[in-house]
């Protein structure tokens, strides 16, 4: 009896030891990611997070989605200052003029990046360089996204703007685009284009930056306003389109999208991030027309177009720096996303990871292959500086006064004068302390 009991006890101990050896009980390290990506972008990011979490058992990425724009960046800065930020954030590279010198981000050493498989030469050079500050890496690019021209094939055909295959005939020159808008109005009987134009809307500013760059102009030069007559004339052109009734005035972002998606405007000026809406609605047969997408036409001397890039960065949480293990996990996730960014491309974005950007899969992806090649070569970022970038103070100022000109609430000269006065104060001010 005693011998049998000891034998059973010994076998149980061995079984427990084997189970302990073969079934580790340690939990995966949680990696906290704060993101401003929602809608179709948020859905694709969730797919990538799920894919990474399923691909290994050492780390588990958990996301928190925060409101886009000023609220997001304010929270990141505030949280990092008190050591309460996450392990990883999304960031627009156009904000590096502010976040680079702010101390809110942690520099990433080459060895730390390499340990996770991240090498700068694997990424689009321009986007990689935008993530650098003072010779150090602070952000790892994910994509390029830009303004494009969506069109309704039925309406452009009615306006005589389609080729034999039903696609939009090439449009080159500002006069040609204006003629196309007039043709839609006269022959198709709808608004020519849909674009947000209410107070605090950004699209007019981004279109204006594109037109200015196409004319060889710059908004800023050595920290001073430099748009000159080219900028004034470009704003007058946009304003003229609205005053002639080619576009509805004072539409907010959802209303402008709804106008195009319901077939009540032939064109839509918007970012590539609306590609998922077009794809999904078309696939479900809820889109009442066949659509196409082209790069913003060459209206002047070149085909420059406003654009930006999403990226990943690690907050420098004061008094509570990220541990080596969490940093390793965060960077491994970033590497995974880059290598699997064909999923991200489904949102209309052009991947920054070169092997994906150059892949046959991306070249075959519709509708991305209708615009991505031209767009990628002609991106113009917002002006550098602490005041620049997505939802930065300069863009916020333009969003107040540009729509007022576009919708006829202020004469162009007065609207630009009010913008200039506010912009000069920003340009003359030091970067606010963190």
């Amino acid at each position: 009896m005693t011998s049998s009991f000891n034998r059973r006890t010994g076998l149980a101990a061995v079984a427990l030891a084997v189970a302990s050896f073969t079934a580790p009980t340690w939990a995966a390290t949680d990696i906290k990611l704060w993101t401003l990506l929602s809608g179709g972008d948020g859905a694709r990011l969730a797919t990538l997070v799920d894919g990474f979490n399923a691909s290994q058992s050492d780390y588990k990425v958990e996301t928190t989605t925060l409101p886009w724009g000023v609220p997001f960046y304010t929270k990141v800065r505030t949280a990092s200052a008190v050591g309460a930020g996450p392990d990883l954030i999304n960031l627009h590279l156009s904000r590096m003029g502010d976040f680079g010198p702010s101390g809110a981000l942690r520099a990433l050493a080459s060895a730390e990046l390499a340990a996770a498989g991240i090498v700068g030469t694997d990424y689009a050079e321009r986007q990689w360089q935008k993530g650098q500050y003072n010779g150090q890496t602070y952000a790892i690019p994910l994509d390029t996204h830009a303004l494009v021209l969506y069109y309704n094939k039925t309406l452009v055909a009615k306006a005589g703007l389609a080729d034999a295959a039903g696609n939009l005939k090439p449009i080159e020159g500002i006069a040609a685009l204006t003629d196309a808008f007039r043709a839609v109005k006269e022959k198709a009987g709808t608004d020519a284009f849909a674009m947000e134009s209410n107070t605090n809307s950004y699209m007019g500013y981004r279109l204006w930056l594109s037109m200015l760059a196409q004319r060889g102009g710059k908004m800023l030069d050595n920290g001073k306003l430099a748009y000159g007559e080219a900028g004034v004339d470009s704003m007058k052109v946009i304003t003229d389109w609205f005053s002639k009734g080619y576009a509805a005035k004072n539409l907010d972002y959802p209303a402008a999208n709804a106008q195009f998606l319901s077939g009540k405007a032939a064109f839509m000026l918007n970012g590539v991030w609306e590609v998922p809406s077009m794809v999904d609605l078309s696939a479900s047969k809820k889109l009442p027309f066949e659509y196409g997408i082209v790069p913003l036409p060459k209206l002047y001397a070149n085909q420059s177009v406003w654009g930006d890039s999403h990226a990943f960065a690690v907050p420098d949480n004061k008094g509570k720096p990220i541990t080596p293990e969490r940093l390793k996990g965060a960077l491994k996730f970033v590497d995974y996303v880059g290598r699997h960014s064909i999923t991200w491309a489904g949102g209309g974005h052009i991947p920054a990871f070169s092997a994906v950007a150059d892949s046959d899969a991306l070249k075959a992806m519709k509708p991305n292959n209708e615009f991505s090649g031209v767009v990628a070569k002609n991106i113009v970022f917002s002006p550098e500086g602490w005041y620049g970038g997505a939802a930065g103070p300069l863009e916020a100022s333009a969003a107040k006064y540009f729509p007022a000109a576009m919708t006829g609430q202020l004469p162009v000269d007065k609207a630009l004068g009010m913008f200039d006065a506010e912009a000069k104060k920003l340009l003359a001010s030091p970067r606010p302390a963190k």
Side-chain angles (χ1 to χ4, degrees):
M1 181 71 177
T2 302
S3 174
S4 177
F5 174 80
N6 287 342
R7 187 168 57 251
R8 288 200 302 271
T9 303
L11 289 172
V14 170
L16 179 62
V18 171
S20 298
F21 180 77
T22 56
T25 56
W26 59 81
T29 300
D30 290 339
I31 305 298
K32 307 294 185 186
L33 166 64
W34 284 5
T35 180
L36 43 58
L37 302 168
S38 58
D41 285 350
R44 282 162 180 79
L45 180 64
T47 298
L48 289 163
V49 168
D50 290 344
F52 174 73
N53 289 342
S55 72
Q56 45 75 52
S57 58
D58 293 331
Y59 307 101
K60 182 180 180 183
V61 173
E62 297 180 348
T63 60
T64 299
T65 304
L66 300 170
W68 187 95
V70 174
F72 178 82
Y73 288 115
T74 300
K75 187 172 179 66
V76 167
R77 292 168 69 106
T78 303
S80 68
V82 298
D87 303 307
L88 192 65
I89 62 167
N90 284 129
L91 178 84
H92 289 95
L93 286 179
S94 64
R95 294 302 299 261
M96 279 300 295
D98 178 20
F99 272 81
S102 72
L105 302 181
R106 183 190 186 282
L108 303 169
S110 297
E112 294 170 334
L113 295 168
I118 299 173
V119 180
T121 51
D122 285 342
Y123 292 81
E125 182 178 2
R126 189 176 179 200
Q127 281 66 33
W128 182 262
Q129 291 302 321
K130 288 288 287 184
Q132 309 290 304
Y133 173 71
N134 270 355
Q136 293 183 291
T137 300
Y138 282 87
I140 301 155
L142 171 59
D143 68 29
T144 296
H145 51 273
L147 190 66
V148 291
L149 185 64
Y150 298 81
Y151 67 93
N152 177 320
K153 291 189 176 183
T154 301
L155 294 179
V156 300
K158 285 183 177 179
L161 302 172
D163 62 17
N167 298 316
L168 182 66
K169 294 177 183 175
I171 294 175
E172 184 168 333
I174 195 67
L177 183 59
T178 302
D179 287 345
F181 289 164
R182 181 172 57 249
V184 170
K185 193 73 178 178
E186 293 176 352
K187 299 178 181 177
T190 66
D191 280 355
F193 70 96
M195 185 178 80
E196 62 170 355
S197 59
N198 67 324
T199 301
N200 296 324
S201 61
Y202 297 124
M203 215 58 69
Y205 173 64
R206 294 167 178 177
L207 174 60
W208 180 79
L209 283 177
S210 303
M211 294 166 70
L212 182 61
Q214 288 199 8
R215 303 171 87 153
K218 294 191 293 185
M219 181 178 174
L220 300 183
D221 190 18
N222 290 324
K224 295 184 178 179
L225 291 170
Y227 61 78
E229 186 53 38
V232 175
D233 185 68
S234 295
M235 180 53 67
K236 287 181 177 177
V237 168
I238 300 171
T239 299
D240 191 50
W241 291 337
F242 279 93
S243 68
K244 290 181 175 176
Y246 298 159
K249 298 177 180 178
N250 293 311
L251 296 184
D252 62 14
Y253 189 92
N257 281 12
Q259 186 191 28
F260 178 71
L261 294 174
S262 61
K264 296 177 180 176
F267 297 97
M268 179 171 71
L269 284 158
N270 206 332
V272 298
W273 49 85
E274 288 300 333
V275 163
S277 297
M278 308 304 301
V279 172
D280 294 345
L281 288 172
S282 182
S284 62
K285 302 188 183 306
K286 293 180 180 177
L287 191 67
F289 57 88
E290 189 176 353
Y291 75 94
I293 306 174
V294 294
L296 184 68
K298 179 182 177 182
L299 304 176
Y300 297 100
N302 59 61
Q303 204 162 357
S304 295
V305 61
W306 168 88
D308 206 332
S309 293
H310 295 118
F312 291 101
V314 175
D316 188 17
N317 290 312
K318 295 296 182 285
K320 194 178 179 181
I322 190 170
T323 66
E325 182 62 16
R326 299 177 81 86
L327 177 64
K328 182 179 178 182
L331 295 180
K332 278 186 171 292
F333 169 69
V334 173
D335 179 63
Y336 175 92
V337 172
R339 295 178 189 279
H340 294 79
S341 53
I342 192 69
T343 296
W344 187 247
H349 307 289
I350 303 167
F353 194 77
S354 298
V356 177
D358 297 335
S359 68
D360 291 339
L362 186 65
K363 291 174 183 174
M365 182 178 283
K366 292 183 177 296
N368 302 51
N369 55 9
E370 297 175 14
F371 59 82
S372 59
V374 173
V375 166
K377 294 185 292 185
N378 291 286
I379 291 293
V380 176
F381 283 87
S382 299
E384 300 275 357
W386 69 264
Y387 35 73
L394 203 58
E395 189 172 64
S397 179
K400 284 193 292 185
Y401 300 116
F402 283 34
M406 290 156 48
T407 57
Q409 299 172 55
L410 288 174
V412 169
D413 291 347
K414 187 169 184 177
L416 288 176
M418 296 172 75
F419 167 71
D420 286 1
E422 198 163 295
K424 287 175 181 175
K425 289 181 181 177
L426 290 170
L427 300 176
S429 301
R431 188 179 58 76
K434 181 179 176 183

